[in-house]
Amino acid sequence: MPTVKRDYYEVLGVERGAGEAEIKKAFRRLARELHPDVNRHDPEAEEKFKEAAEAYEVLSDPERRRTYDTFGHEGLRSGGWAPRADAFGSFEDVLSAFFGRGDPLFNDLFGFTRSGPTGGGDVAAQVEVTLEEVLSGTTRDVTFEGASACERCDGSGAELGTEIRTCETCGGVGEVREVSRTVFGQLVRSGPCPTCGGRGRVPEKACSECGGEGRVVRERTWQLDVPAGIESGQRIRVTGAGHAGQTGAPAGDLYVEVVVADDDRFERHGQDLVSVVEVSVTRAMLGGTVTVATLDGDRDVEIPAGSQSGERIVLKGVGLPSLRGGRRGDQHILVDAFVPTRLTKEQRELARQLDEALGPEGGRREGRGPFGRRSRRRR
């Protein structure tokens, strides 16, 4: 049987109203407690840490947290989200992905003093699709400006034929420290080396293409698969398609927000569609066949005699699919019986004769009145 995921707030041990600082503090505490060196006796320590990392990844992101608070785990899966912790093999890799080697928690746990190459940043983009494309799924070319590894130096930052040497400023550590004396004693400040940018190594001669950065900014295009059933506002994540990292550091991710274009024919409610069909008051009285638009093409629909404005006709299985697949939703057709405002003399006379034939009650059927109460005839 599949494992039931625990509530993310329970995993981190925080209340639902916890702030960003409290959530980060709780994850730091768990990371220290679940360190493999401390929990060699617990073979499940790594899985427990990945569970905590997954909870932190969701609750530290305002948009993902709103989705989880509203729809739970199922809502995150429906939006195409997958935990980053699943993409890394070791405890160190997971923690580095969340905090980076320059973060104090990472350094405390693993004893690193150098900040190391900087990972690539994430890229945000947006695409628009139609309801027909939501029905079947589609592909879109997403074009954006992104940092890519320099092809001339293969991302090393060094000119062809030259070497990369240890940084003389930091001695290859990637970090410099400044010690100053205060009335309270010595104050030590540390930060990335300004010469090598935290890499610990510098090119003997900078690449003429990228100036020693190892990266260049250029226009990039990514072919994105948009799944059937996606809803407006949901994001698709493409791992590693963001900005390239420095000298081999991991690239960031590409996050693409999907916008479903408005369609004058339909209003969307999840998997269901709502449309309106206008009929004359005489057609509503007598009934008949009308043509309505669906995502599968026009379809003839029978309007029952005596239909009232607002009455609903349901076409089963012609709505939209779910991201998880399965049966399509329905299309709800609302009848809008309109009364003509301009009548010829002959039409007005016919309408008068019909009114006289129907009598004082106007042919009204028994039912509920406009305020929800059952209408009763006066005696």
Side-chain angles (χ1 to χ4, degrees), residues 2-278:
T3 304
V4 178
K5 285 182 177 290
R6 288 203 296 157
D7 178 71
Y8 287 143
Y9 293 95
E10 178 186 347
V11 172
L12 294 184
V14 298
E15 298 293 332
R16 285 195 166 268
E20 181 181 347
E22 186 178 354
I23 288 172
K24 189 169 185 177
K25 181 179 178 181
F27 180 46
R28 286 173 177 268
R29 173 181 53 78
L30 283 173
R32 288 190 175 92
E33 292 176 0
L34 297 171
H35 190 289
D37 291 344
V38 180
N39 289 276
R40 291 176 181 173
H41 63 284
D42 186 1
E44 298 180 358
E46 185 172 342
E47 288 305 314
K48 290 178 181 177
F49 171 76
K50 287 188 176 182
E51 181 186 44
E54 180 179 329
Y56 175 75
E57 186 179 358
V58 171
L59 300 185
S60 63
D61 182 285
E63 183 175 339
R64 278 196 288 263
R65 185 175 180 179
R66 280 194 297 270
T67 300
Y68 175 73
D69 287 346
T70 307
F71 303 107
H73 296 290
E74 191 62 33
L76 294 170
R77 285 195 296 270
S78 297
W81 175 80
R84 274 196 292 175
D86 291 344
F88 296 90
S90 69
F91 180 92
E92 177 184 337
D93 289 338
V94 176
L95 201 61
S96 177
F98 280 97
F99 294 102
R101 290 175 179 260
D103 188 271
L105 172 61
F106 187 88
N107 293 338
D108 290 347
L109 288 172
F110 295 102
F112 287 104
T113 55
R114 58 176 295 177
S115 55
T118 304
D122 295 334
V123 175
Q126 190 179 79
V127 296
E128 185 176 80
V129 297
T130 64
L131 280 177
E132 283 85 359
E133 290 170 327
V134 173
L135 174 62
S136 58
T138 187
T139 59
R140 277 286 186 279
D141 285 340
V142 182
T143 301
F144 57 93
E145 294 284 328
S148 302
C150 176
E151 294 181 358
R152 179 176 177 82
C153 66
D154 198 25
S156 69
E159 184 62 36
L160 296 175
T162 64
E163 295 182 353
I164 301 176
R165 52 184 173 80
T166 300
C167 176
E168 295 179 356
T169 303
C170 64
V173 176
E175 184 179 74
V176 292
R177 295 189 175 190
E178 179 184 343
V179 181
S180 58
R181 294 185 178 277
T182 70
V183 293
F184 301 105
Q186 285 189 339
L187 178 64
V188 180
R189 297 175 180 171
S190 62
C193 175
T195 303
C196 65
R199 289 170 290 202
R201 293 164 64 81
V202 292
E204 188 177 71
K205 183 180 179 181
C207 171
S208 59
E209 180 71 22
C210 64
E213 287 295 317
R215 300 182 295 178
V216 291
V217 177
R218 60 181 176 85
E219 187 177 89
R220 294 160 58 186
T221 299
W222 190 276
Q223 189 175 74
L224 181 75
D225 290 325
V226 182
I230 197 163
E231 296 198 33
S232 196
Q234 291 184 320
R235 295 195 304 171
I236 300 173
R237 174 189 174 196
V238 184
T239 304
H243 296 297
Q246 290 182 342
T247 59
D253 299 331
L254 171 63
Y255 290 89
V256 184
E257 180 185 14
V258 176
V259 176
V260 181
D262 292 335
D263 192 309
D264 293 338
R265 302 169 299 169
F266 309 104
E267 185 175 286
R268 181 180 184 179
H269 295 271
Q271 290 179 248
D272 292 343
L273 297 174
V274 177
S275 61
V276 176
V277 59
E278 290 187 340

Side-chain angles (χ1 to χ4, degrees), residues 293-352:
T294 75
L295 289 179
D296 298 322
D298 290 344
R299 178 177 293 194
D300 290 337
V301 174
E302 189 69 24
I303 301 294
S307 292
Q308 307 293 308
S309 280
E311 288 199 11
R312 187 182 304 250
I313 300 169
V314 180
L315 298 181
K316 295 287 187 180
V318 296
L320 294 168
S322 165
L323 272 173
R324 299 180 296 277
R327 179 185 174 278
R328 288 169 59 181
D330 303 326
Q331 181 171 333
H332 300 257
I333 303 169
L334 301 182
V335 176
D336 180 16
F338 63 86
V339 178
T341 57
R342 295 182 180 180
L343 297 176
T344 65
K345 185 177 180 180
E346 180 183 2
Q347 290 169 338
R348 187 177 294 277
E349 176 60 24
L350 290 172
R352 187 188 63 77

